[in-house]
Amino acid sequence: MVTGATGGLGLEVARELARAGAHVILTGRDPVKGNRALVSVRASVPNADLRFNPLDLAALSSIRAAADSLRATGTKLDILVNNAGVMAPARRMTTRDGFELQFGTNHLGHFALTGLLLPALAQGRGVVVTVASLAAWRGKMPFDDLNARRRYGPFARYSQSKLANLAFALELDRRARVHGARIHSRAAHPGWSSSDIIANSAALGEASGRVARTLRKAQKSIGGAVFRLLGQDVAHGALPMLYALSPDALDSGYYGPQGAGERRGFPGSAAIPPAASDAVLARRLWEVSEELTGVRYDWETVS
């Protein structure tokens, strides 16, 4: 299962997993984009074994419905790629459950999804790859205001959510080891990779489709040139996530491009920000995430 697989990095990861012979479940908010993604993958991988499942990570009800649907079929889940993300909306927005949109979608949504899918993961290979970002280096975890009710800065809250992603991946590995669970947690980041995340996020909540189209056009022309110069395209940006699924990857490993500043290049081990390695911070974040989402990991059933 790949979250946020209707475009960008998620679509590329799904494509390559299908090329390798996996049965791939693509997820996303928009069924129309989902169908287009299926067509896109099958155009390059004619015999691809895949399907689309609706999943809105900004709604706990949607997350529970998706997990219930998978469990009802008895599907064993070998791989979960926690990729979907929202980046820096200009104004504070919230999920359906009232969480700040970036923290709620990027972290809390994936925290809940992973916990609810834990039994299915334990029945399969149980590999979980969570996508972080270089922005995690700038992240802070304001536990007294995680949902930005008092203060909102678009990129500060994005960095917070990406620090949460990485801290979650490392804490998931710690807890799996303590409980002897068949879960293998890794993390990856794409470096500076051009995708639709900025334009899609900036257009959230806008009434005019013209606004979204203008933002996407600007990103492709201006932002795309910058990323091509200093970063890399989506296909190369997806490589660290794929590397995290390879036999060379280790549990608790963090992978990213090996070029200057980890912005571009072929994948390998990435530097971990000190805050993400803080076990006390990660434990507190885990406990708060349980309280906010109502999802508690049932380790007894997967050990």
Side-chain angles (χ1 to χ4, degrees):
M1 176 181 283
V2 182
T3 68
T6 58
L9 296 167
L11 179 58
E12 290 304 314
V13 170
R15 189 190 316 278
E16 294 309 313
L17 288 174
R19 198 187 307 278
H23 170 68
V24 187
I25 304 170
L26 291 76
T27 73
R29 295 188 304 266
D30 187 343
V32 173
K33 288 185 177 180
N35 287 329
R36 289 176 186 162
L38 296 179
V39 170
S40 173
V41 174
R42 289 184 175 126
S44 52
V45 188
N47 297 322
D49 181 9
L50 67 168
R51 72 176 191 264
F52 174 77
N53 275 19
L55 171 62
D56 183 357
L57 285 163
L60 289 173
S61 60
S62 177
I63 295 168
R64 290 184 181 279
D68 289 344
S69 175
L70 190 73
R71 286 200 303 264
T73 63
T75 300
K76 297 179 181 179
L77 195 58
D78 291 310
I79 293 168
L80 172 63
V81 181
N82 288 327
N83 162 77
V86 178
M87 182 179 181
R91 60 183 176 85
R92 181 184 183 273
M93 302 176 68
T94 60
T95 68
R96 292 188 194 175
D97 304 283
F99 308 130
E100 188 276 317
L101 188 65
Q102 297 176 92
F103 182 66
T105 302
N106 301 357
H107 168 62
L108 292 177
H110 284 123
F111 177 90
L113 180 67
T114 305
L116 293 169
L117 292 178
L118 207 63
L121 285 161
Q123 290 171 14
R125 286 178 53 203
V127 179
V128 181
V129 174
T130 301
V131 179
S133 165
L134 287 170
W137 283 91
R138 300 189 297 275
K140 299 184 184 301
M141 202 61 60
F143 284 103
D144 61 340
D145 190 28
L146 287 174
N147 284 300
R149 290 189 173 89
R150 293 199 299 274
R151 184 174 182 179
Y152 177 75
F155 285 98
R157 294 299 174 167
Y158 177 71
S159 298
Q160 172 196 327
S161 74
K162 292 288 104 179
L163 172 59
N165 283 148
L166 185 49
F168 161 69
L170 298 177
E171 182 67 7
L172 178 60
D173 175 71
R174 292 188 197 100
R175 294 185 180 235
R177 293 188 187 206
V178 167
H179 292 279
R182 298 181 296 276
I183 301 297
H184 308 278
S185 178
R186 296 101 183 247
H189 77 81
W192 283 15
S193 180
S194 55
S195 71
D196 292 336
I197 186 171
I198 297 174
N200 287 344
S201 300
L204 280 169
E206 298 287 354
S208 173
R210 180 177 57 82
V211 173
R213 289 193 296 271
T214 301
L215 286 164
R216 292 190 184 99
K217 184 177 180 180
Q219 183 187 5
K220 287 180 180 179
S221 60
I222 302 172
V226 172
F227 276 101
R228 282 193 298 273
L229 180 64
L230 299 176
Q232 57 191 358
D233 61 21
V234 172
H236 285 86
L239 291 179
M241 282 82 92
L242 296 168
Y243 185 88
L245 297 169
S246 75
D248 293 328
L250 302 175
D251 294 351
S252 80
Y254 183 39
Y255 302 99
Q258 298 298 285
E262 295 186 8
R263 292 188 297 268
R264 63 188 299 172
F266 289 101
S269 294
I272 298 176
S277 299
D278 185 339
V280 174
L281 179 150
R283 183 166 58 250
R284 186 175 179 188
L285 176 64
W286 188 285
E287 292 168 352
V288 170
S289 300
E290 286 184 330
E291 292 174 7
L292 291 174
T293 64
V295 174
R296 285 172 170 75
Y297 284 48
D298 188 357
W299 294 107
E300 292 184 1
T301 64
V302 298
S303 301

